[in-house]
Amino acid sequence: MAEVYVLREGDLIIDGFDSVTAPASVTLVVYEGNNDTKYLLVDAGSIWDTPEALDNWLSDSPYDITHQDIYAAIITHNHPDHTGLIRYLGGDTGATIYGSDSSYHNRKPHIFNTDKLFSAKDITIIQTPGHETSHDQSVLVNTPEGIVAIVGDLMLNEKEFTDIADFSQWPPEHNTYASDSRSTIKTIEDLYKVIPGHGPAFDPRDMINI
Ligand SMILES: [Zn+2]
């Protein structure tokens, strides 16, 4: 079984057309590899975040590690508020970055290993397009309490879980793909927690309309 810890809670504050504050969720997944404990990041902050900030988040966590101990990162989608710290991860050898290619391939940093597939016993990556038309992915983690779904911007916050056709906050590229993917998440058996891209983690069992 794996553990999940939210290092930085996402948020979305839209204050007029020119003022959007949108820190993305940064999540640590801890699991036992073949020989040692592995520390995996799901999404990696923005291009404005620093490795010092990541170390501060990690020092507030139950784990005694720094950004150099991160073994790999899975990126839900290649937008710059989710990829910024990947170039600092893993110390001298670097961390392996797992992400799909993107219509935003011209954006930096862009060092994904698109030819490698992530594999770990209690961690599953599924394709959940919608926020981007074709390249988004979500990470499902098997924990002792149930499945934790880390969904990136497929769901900005719990409003988009409650109403899978809510596109009012930040419109997805493809509405039908987005609502279908949200439905996929919503119907996962034993779903215990959802970590959205720009809001606090929530317990889906508390939502009224499931
Ligand atoms: Zn985002």
Side-chain angles (χ1 to χ4, degrees), residues 22 24 77 79 81-82 131 153 156 197-198:
H77 64 294
H79 282 178
D81 54 327
H82 296 257
H131 178 68
D153 289 2
L156 298 172
H198 291 274

Side-chain angles (χ1 to χ4, degrees), residues 30-48:
V30 182
Y31 65 99
E32 289 305 315
N34 289 335
N35 303 310
D36 56 1
T37 303
K38 301 287 192 192
Y39 300 94
L40 171 74
L41 218 56
V42 179
D43 283 343
S46 83
I47 53 176
W48 301 281

Side-chain angles (χ1 to χ4, degrees), residues 17 41 48-49 56 67 110 172 193:
F17 186 74
L41 218 56
W48 301 281
D49 289 319
N56 286 336
H67 67 279
H110 181 71
K193 185 183 284 185

